[in-house]
Amino acid sequence: MKPLSELTETDEPFIATLESWISDWGGNVRLHAPDPARADQNLLRLQVTRRSPLGAQVHDTGGIEIDHGWLRLFGSAAGGPLPDILELGASLGLTADSGALLIGADVIGGLFAINGGGLPDAKLGEVCYFAPDTNAWESMGLKHSGFVEAMLSGVSEKFYKAFRWSGWQSDVAALPPDRVMTFYPPPGTVEFGPETSSRRAVPFAEIWPENAFRPGTPPA
């Protein structure tokens, strides 16, 4: 176990790069402040440094909301607008120890996790997406840094094109961060259409109850 001082003390914290990506893109992003005590605790548990992209997300943010809140990357939060990254991950069974570390979620019920050996058809360290239209994990083909940079450069517009409806920006911005949108007919069916399917906001916990996942298998 590396001590906290070795993980936090650096002249090159990655948060500076993260902030520059946000500034360069100019998209709708909300960067939340972390809870200091929880940030130190989470960094120690993950044993990553603030020089790393994951260390910056975990230690130097309380979460990041991208594209009006469509995509939510989790950080070290306590009572803030977004849940704590390790607390939520543990509740879903997506932790570093289980072989898949939860790092984010989206407004349509998709989840993002870093493969630590528990997710199929993905290299170690790659970000994988649990897609609501397939109910399966899919490799993004990117490490954490590449994934975050892509999402902060407008790639999310193309990635989510098939799921977005007219006026989604205002609908999503008004949605509390503990809620997600469900569709009927749902994604993955022939009848689904972002404009024609009905939408309903439901609690995140209704979509993903506690211990929903075991890496390598879909939720029950």
Side-chain angles (χ1 to χ4, degrees):
M1 287 281 290
K2 294 180 180 178
L4 181 62
S5 59
E6 189 173 334
L7 301 175
T8 58
E9 294 175 6
T10 173
D11 294 331
E12 300 177 340
F14 198 84
I15 188 64
T17 299
L18 190 60
E19 290 173 338
S20 72
W21 288 347
I22 294 173
S23 177
D24 290 344
W25 177 37
N28 187 282
V29 179
R30 282 173 284 181
L31 184 65
H32 299 288
D35 174 82
R38 193 174 291 247
D40 286 349
Q41 181 184 48
N42 286 345
L43 203 68
L44 271 174
R45 290 174 63 186
L46 289 177
Q47 287 289 289
V48 293
T49 77
R50 292 179 62 230
R51 292 188 299 273
S52 70
L54 181 59
Q57 180 179 325
V58 170
H59 188 272
D60 297 322
T61 84
I64 309 168
E65 293 183 88
I66 301 171
D67 264 5
H68 305 271
W70 184 286
L71 174 61
R72 302 146 179 182
L73 301 181
F74 305 123
S76 293
L82 295 177
D84 178 73
I85 184 171
L86 297 191
E87 189 174 275
L88 180 60
S91 75
L92 297 178
L94 292 171
T95 65
D97 291 338
S98 71
L101 176 66
L102 179 73
I103 58 169
D106 59 38
V107 77
I108 55 174
L111 299 174
F112 293 93
I114 297 175
N115 181 32
L119 298 177
D121 304 320
K123 296 178 181 178
L124 283 175
E126 284 186 342
V127 173
C128 297
Y129 180 56
F130 191 88
D133 56 339
T134 64
N135 284 330
W137 287 103
E138 306 167 356
S139 174
M140 300 284 291
L142 297 168
K143 295 296 183 72
H144 178 260
S145 175
F147 164 71
V148 175
E149 183 177 16
M151 291 300 171
L152 288 173
S153 63
V155 169
S156 58
E157 181 176 351
K158 180 179 179 180
F159 186 74
Y160 288 112
K161 184 178 181 180
F163 298 97
R164 288 180 167 172
W165 60 94
S166 301
W168 66 266
Q169 296 94 333
S170 57
D171 291 345
V172 171
L175 197 67
D178 64 343
R179 292 181 175 264
V180 298
M181 287 286 192
T182 60
F183 299 88
Y184 187 81
T189 64
V190 175
E191 298 82 7
F192 169 74
E195 298 287 356
T196 57
S197 291
S198 63
R199 296 181 298 275
R200 185 168 66 98
V202 300
F204 185 86
E206 184 175 315
I207 299 296
W208 303 121
E210 289 191 4
N211 298 311
F213 284 89
R214 289 295 178 268
T217 63

